[in-house]
């Protein structure tokens, strides 16, 4: 079995790039299950109902979120959709689900979304404790567990990988929009990569217009970010799973 995780979709152009590349990738790589981070789908912040419908139309299995989960009020219309999950370590009582369990080829696949606490400015519970408790709760009910850890700090992501090593199938990072070249299988068998990158404008500052970004850094004034235009890139990673033991046998980065 092959699981594809796609890096943060940046605006409408990111969704269109996903649409352009996905059919070929699915056929060439024989992809069985797809996880997409959609928290930047609404022109960089949040996700609208139309964005959500456009992504689902591509037969995506799970859409994960992050620090911009509540960026668009539209989300409250579909927050309980089974294919949408938000960070599980948001404060207790927050609407939506932090994980869900799906069936693919007679396998039960759990996908958990967590958000980091280092330099991300979002009120949340400890992702390590919440993640551990969730894994312990569901590990006997599923064949595989995938964790999208939406976090800023490289050290926090690496620590999470080791913390869950041997307890989950794979941990992959999102949020920084820069793909890292550290894909590996950790000592106890968990697949890991610090960040899978982004799908959106290539000539940009992590998806945003270069001039607007430079002005913001140069002047420190609150220049409004806007999505860059032009050529797009597709970032993601493929986890190949051994059917006999449900563990990662290989990891392949995609940068197209």
């Amino acid at each position: 079995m092959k699981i594809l995780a796609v890096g943060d979709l940046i605006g409408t152009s990111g969704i269109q790039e996903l649409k352009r590349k996905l059919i070929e990738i699915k056929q060439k790589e024989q992809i069985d299950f797809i996880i997409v981070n959609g928290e930047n789908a609404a022109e960089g912040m949040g996700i609208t109902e139309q964005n959500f419908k456009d992504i689902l139309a591509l037969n995506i299995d799970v859409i994960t979120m992050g620090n911009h989960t509540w960026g668009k009020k539209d989300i409250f219309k579909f927050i309980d959709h089974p294919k949408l999950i938000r960070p599980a370590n948001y404060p207790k009582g927050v609407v939506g689900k932090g994980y869900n369990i799906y069936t693919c080829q007679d396998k039960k696949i759990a996908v958990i979304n967590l958000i980091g606490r280092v330099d991300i400015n979002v009120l949340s519970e400890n992702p390590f404790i919440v993640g551990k408790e969730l894994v312990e709760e569901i590990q006997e009910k599923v064949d595989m567990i995938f964790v999208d850890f939406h976090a800023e700090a490289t050290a926090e992501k690496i620590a999470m990988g080791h913390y869950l090593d041997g307890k989950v199938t794979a941990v992959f990072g999102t949020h920084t929009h820069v793909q890292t070249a550290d894909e590996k299988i950790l000592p106890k068998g968990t697949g890991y990569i610090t960040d899978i990158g982004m799908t959106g404008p290539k000539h940009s500052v992590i998806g945003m217009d270069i001039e607007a970004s430079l002005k913001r850094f140069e002047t420190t004034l609150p220049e409004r970010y806007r999505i860059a235009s032009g050529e797009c890139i597709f970032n993601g990673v493929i986890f190949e799973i051994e059917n006999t033991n449900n563990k990662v046998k290989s990891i392949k980065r995609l940068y197209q």
Side-chain angles (χ1 to χ4, degrees), residues 176-201:
T176 68
H177 299 184
V178 178
Q179 189 180 85
T180 54
D182 63 340
E183 71 278 13
K184 61 176 71 72
I185 297 175
L186 296 171
K188 297 178 183 178
T190 293
Y192 175 82
I193 182 170
T194 298
D195 202 287
I196 61 176
M198 72 173 197
T199 296

mmCIF file of all heavy atoms in Angstrom, residues 176-201:
data_model
loop_
_atom_site.group_PDB
_atom_site.id
_atom_site.type_symbol
_atom_site.label_atom_id
_atom_site.label_comp_id
_atom_site.label_asym_id
_atom_site.label_seq_id
_atom_site.Cartn_x
_atom_site.Cartn_y
_atom_site.Cartn_z
ATOM 1 N N THR A 176 5.929 24.825 7.682
ATOM 2 C CA THR A 176 6.997 25.744 7.278
ATOM 3 C C THR A 176 7.028 25.995 5.775
ATOM 4 O O THR A 176 7.660 26.949 5.316
ATOM 5 C CB THR A 176 8.382 25.226 7.702
ATOM 6 O OG1 THR A 176 8.717 24.063 6.965
ATOM 7 C CG2 THR A 176 8.421 24.940 9.190
ATOM 8 N N HIS A 177 6.366 25.136 4.998
ATOM 9 C CA HIS A 177 6.267 25.260 3.538
ATOM 10 C C HIS A 177 7.592 25.013 2.826
ATOM 11 O O HIS A 177 7.713 25.273 1.635
ATOM 12 C CB HIS A 177 5.730 26.637 3.124
ATOM 13 C CG HIS A 177 4.369 26.942 3.639
ATOM 14 N ND1 HIS A 177 3.687 28.100 3.315
ATOM 15 C CD2 HIS A 177 3.536 26.241 4.453
ATOM 16 C CE1 HIS A 177 2.504 28.112 3.913
ATOM 17 N NE2 HIS A 177 2.397 26.981 4.610
ATOM 18 N N VAL A 178 8.597 24.531 3.557
ATOM 19 C CA VAL A 178 9.902 24.225 2.955
ATOM 20 C C VAL A 178 10.188 22.746 3.166
ATOM 21 O O VAL A 178 10.333 22.285 4.300
ATOM 22 C CB VAL A 178 11.025 25.071 3.589
ATOM 23 C CG1 VAL A 178 12.372 24.704 2.972
ATOM 24 C CG2 VAL A 178 10.735 26.555 3.403
ATOM 25 N N GLN A 179 10.288 22.014 2.070
ATOM 26 C CA GLN A 179 10.496 20.566 2.173
ATOM 27 C C GLN A 179 11.900 20.259 2.693
ATOM 28 O O GLN A 179 12.889 20.826 2.235
ATOM 29 C CB GLN A 179 10.304 19.913 0.805
ATOM 30 C CG GLN A 179 10.297 18.400 0.859
ATOM 31 C CD GLN A 179 10.106 17.785 -0.522
ATOM 32 O OE1 GLN A 179 11.076 17.619 -1.255
ATOM 33 N NE2 GLN A 179 8.867 17.462 -0.866
ATOM 34 N N THR A 180 11.974 19.350 3.656
ATOM 35 C CA THR A 180 13.268 18.961 4.226
ATOM 36 C C THR A 180 13.745 17.638 3.629
ATOM 37 O O THR A 180 12.937 16.797 3.235
ATOM 38 C CB THR A 180 13.161 18.819 5.753
ATOM 39 O OG1 THR A 180 12.096 17.917 6.082
ATOM 40 C CG2 THR A 180 12.893 20.166 6.404
ATOM 41 N N ALA A 181 15.058 17.483 3.566
ATOM 42 C CA ALA A 181 15.660 16.292 2.949
ATOM 43 C C ALA A 181 16.113 15.306 4.012
ATOM 44 O O ALA A 181 17.218 14.761 3.940
ATOM 45 C CB ALA A 181 16.829 16.707 2.067
ATOM 46 N N ASP A 182 15.253 15.075 5.007
ATOM 47 C CA ASP A 182 15.653 14.183 6.108
ATOM 48 C C ASP A 182 14.692 13.013 6.284
ATOM 49 O O ASP A 182 14.540 12.486 7.392
ATOM 50 C CB ASP A 182 15.764 14.974 7.412
ATOM 51 C CG ASP A 182 14.429 15.576 7.864
ATOM 52 O OD1 ASP A 182 13.517 15.728 7.023
ATOM 53 O OD2 ASP A 182 14.294 15.894 9.058
ATOM 54 N N GLU A 183 14.058 12.604 5.188
ATOM 55 C CA GLU A 183 13.136 11.467 5.289
ATOM 56 C C GLU A 183 13.907 10.224 5.738
ATOM 57 O O GLU A 183 15.023 9.970 5.288
ATOM 58 C CB GLU A 183 12.421 11.220 3.960
ATOM 59 C CG GLU A 183 13.264 10.665 2.840
ATOM 60 C CD GLU A 183 14.064 11.702 2.091
ATOM 61 O OE1 GLU A 183 14.193 12.853 2.554
ATOM 62 O OE2 GLU A 183 14.597 11.354 1.012
ATOM 63 N N LYS A 184 13.310 9.474 6.654
ATOM 64 C CA LYS A 184 14.006 8.306 7.196
ATOM 65 C C LYS A 184 13.024 7.377 7.888
ATOM 66 O O LYS A 184 11.876 7.756 8.163
ATOM 67 C CB LYS A 184 15.067 8.743 8.220
ATOM 68 C CG LYS A 184 14.489 9.491 9.420
ATOM 69 C CD LYS A 184 15.550 9.826 10.460
ATOM 70 C CE LYS A 184 16.498 10.885 10.004
ATOM 71 N NZ LYS A 184 15.860 12.245 9.965
ATOM 72 N N ILE A 185 13.479 6.180 8.171
ATOM 73 C CA ILE A 185 12.743 5.273 9.045
ATOM 74 C C ILE A 185 13.489 5.260 10.364
ATOM 75 O O ILE A 185 14.672 4.923 10.422
ATOM 76 C CB ILE A 185 12.641 3.865 8.438
ATOM 77 C CG1 ILE A 185 11.849 3.924 7.119
ATOM 78 C CG2 ILE A 185 11.950 2.911 9.416
ATOM 79 C CD1 ILE A 185 11.783 2.608 6.364
ATOM 80 N N LEU A 186 12.817 5.684 11.425
ATOM 81 C CA LEU A 186 13.434 5.797 12.736
ATOM 82 C C LEU A 186 13.758 4.413 13.317
ATOM 83 O O LEU A 186 13.252 3.401 12.828
ATOM 84 C CB LEU A 186 12.519 6.594 13.660
ATOM 85 C CG LEU A 186 12.297 8.058 13.227
ATOM 86 C CD1 LEU A 186 11.208 8.717 14.075
ATOM 87 C CD2 LEU A 186 13.590 8.846 13.316
ATOM 88 N N PRO A 187 14.590 4.338 14.353
ATOM 89 C CA PRO A 187 15.078 3.050 14.881
ATOM 90 C C PRO A 187 14.000 2.021 15.221
ATOM 91 O O PRO A 187 14.217 0.821 15.056
ATOM 92 C CB PRO A 187 15.853 3.474 16.135
ATOM 93 C CG PRO A 187 16.355 4.840 15.819
ATOM 94 C CD PRO A 187 15.249 5.482 15.032
ATOM 95 N N LYS A 188 12.837 2.476 15.680
ATOM 96 C CA LYS A 188 11.785 1.535 16.060
ATOM 97 C C LYS A 188 10.753 1.325 14.959
ATOM 98 O O LYS A 188 9.709 0.697 15.188
ATOM 99 C CB LYS A 188 11.109 2.002 17.349
ATOM 100 C CG LYS A 188 12.057 2.045 18.539
ATOM 101 C CD LYS A 188 11.362 2.558 19.788
ATOM 102 C CE LYS A 188 12.342 2.674 20.951
ATOM 103 N NZ LYS A 188 11.668 3.228 22.172
ATOM 104 N N GLY A 189 11.025 1.868 13.756
ATOM 105 C CA GLY A 189 10.198 1.539 12.606
ATOM 106 C C GLY A 189 9.239 2.588 12.099
ATOM 107 O O GLY A 189 8.545 2.364 11.100
ATOM 108 N N THR A 190 9.171 3.757 12.728
ATOM 109 C CA THR A 190 8.260 4.815 12.289
ATOM 110 C C THR A 190 8.875 5.636 11.163
ATOM 111 O O THR A 190 10.021 6.078 11.268
ATOM 112 C CB THR A 190 7.894 5.738 13.469
ATOM 113 O OG1 THR A 190 7.113 4.997 14.410
ATOM 114 C CG2 THR A 190 7.103 6.955 13.019
ATOM 115 N N GLY A 191 8.106 5.860 10.090
ATOM 116 C CA GLY A 191 8.556 6.720 9.009
ATOM 117 C C GLY A 191 8.509 8.170 9.451
ATOM 118 O O GLY A 191 7.598 8.568 10.184
ATOM 119 N N TYR A 192 9.483 8.971 9.008
ATOM 120 C CA TYR A 192 9.557 10.341 9.489
ATOM 121 C C TYR A 192 10.139 11.294 8.445
ATOM 122 O O TYR A 192 11.062 10.943 7.707
ATOM 123 C CB TYR A 192 10.431 10.420 10.752
ATOM 124 C CG TYR A 192 10.645 11.846 11.212
ATOM 125 C CD1 TYR A 192 9.690 12.489 11.976
ATOM 126 C CD2 TYR A 192 11.786 12.553 10.817
ATOM 127 C CE1 TYR A 192 9.864 13.823 12.362
ATOM 128 C CE2 TYR A 192 11.972 13.880 11.193
ATOM 129 C CZ TYR A 192 11.002 14.507 11.964
ATOM 130 O OH TYR A 192 11.161 15.812 12.327
ATOM 131 N N ILE A 193 9.595 12.528 8.406
ATOM 132 C CA ILE A 193 10.188 13.642 7.670
ATOM 133 C C ILE A 193 9.790 14.917 8.393
ATOM 134 O O ILE A 193 8.643 15.056 8.841
ATOM 135 C CB ILE A 193 9.754 13.660 6.187
ATOM 136 C CG1 ILE A 193 10.444 14.817 5.447
ATOM 137 C CG2 ILE A 193 8.238 13.734 6.048
ATOM 138 C CD1 ILE A 193 10.265 14.760 3.927
ATOM 139 N N THR A 194 10.721 15.858 8.530
ATOM 140 C CA THR A 194 10.458 17.070 9.307
ATOM 141 C C THR A 194 9.409 17.960 8.659
ATOM 142 O O THR A 194 8.544 18.500 9.350
ATOM 143 C CB THR A 194 11.760 17.858 9.528
ATOM 144 O OG1 THR A 194 12.667 17.040 10.283
ATOM 145 C CG2 THR A 194 11.519 19.141 10.284
ATOM 146 N N ASP A 195 9.466 18.147 7.346
ATOM 147 C CA ASP A 195 8.421 18.922 6.673
ATOM 148 C C ASP A 195 8.281 18.463 5.230
ATOM 149 O O ASP A 195 9.277 18.290 4.534
ATOM 150 C CB ASP A 195 8.715 20.426 6.709
ATOM 151 C CG ASP A 195 7.443 21.251 6.526
ATOM 152 O OD1 ASP A 195 6.924 21.307 5.391
ATOM 153 O OD2 ASP A 195 6.951 21.814 7.513
ATOM 154 N N ILE A 196 7.044 18.276 4.807
ATOM 155 C CA ILE A 196 6.803 17.776 3.447
ATOM 156 C C ILE A 196 6.699 18.889 2.417
ATOM 157 O O ILE A 196 6.574 18.628 1.229
ATOM 158 C CB ILE A 196 5.558 16.863 3.385
ATOM 159 C CG1 ILE A 196 4.290 17.601 3.806
ATOM 160 C CG2 ILE A 196 5.780 15.622 4.240
ATOM 161 C CD1 ILE A 196 3.022 16.753 3.657
ATOM 162 N N GLY A 197 6.765 20.154 2.861
ATOM 163 C CA GLY A 197 6.772 21.272 1.921
ATOM 164 C C GLY A 197 5.402 21.834 1.627
ATOM 165 O O GLY A 197 4.467 21.703 2.421
ATOM 166 N N MET A 198 5.269 22.488 0.469
ATOM 167 C CA MET A 198 4.008 23.141 0.106
ATOM 168 C C MET A 198 3.668 22.864 -1.348
ATOM 169 O O MET A 198 4.516 22.485 -2.155
ATOM 170 C CB MET A 198 4.106 24.655 0.314
ATOM 171 C CG MET A 198 4.985 25.358 -0.703
ATOM 172 S SD MET A 198 4.926 27.154 -0.575
ATOM 173 C CE MET A 198 5.607 27.608 -2.186
ATOM 174 N N THR A 199 2.407 23.099 -1.687
ATOM 175 C CA THR A 199 1.945 23.019 -3.073
ATOM 176 C C THR A 199 1.328 24.363 -3.411
ATOM 177 O O THR A 199 0.255 24.713 -2.902
ATOM 178 C CB THR A 199 0.933 21.878 -3.244
ATOM 179 O OG1 THR A 199 1.600 20.629 -2.972
ATOM 180 C CG2 THR A 199 0.378 21.843 -4.660
ATOM 181 N N GLY A 200 2.048 25.137 -4.219
ATOM 182 C CA GLY A 200 1.616 26.491 -4.541
ATOM 183 C C GLY A 200 2.693 27.228 -5.311
ATOM 184 O O GLY A 200 3.581 26.600 -5.901
ATOM 185 N N PRO A 201 2.653 28.563 -5.321
ATOM 186 C CA PRO A 201 3.566 29.371 -6.135
ATOM 187 C C PRO A 201 5.049 29.100 -5.847
ATOM 188 O O PRO A 201 5.493 29.206 -4.710
ATOM 189 C CB PRO A 201 3.186 30.805 -5.768
ATOM 190 C CG PRO A 201 1.759 30.721 -5.332
ATOM 191 C CD PRO A 201 1.662 29.408 -4.617
#
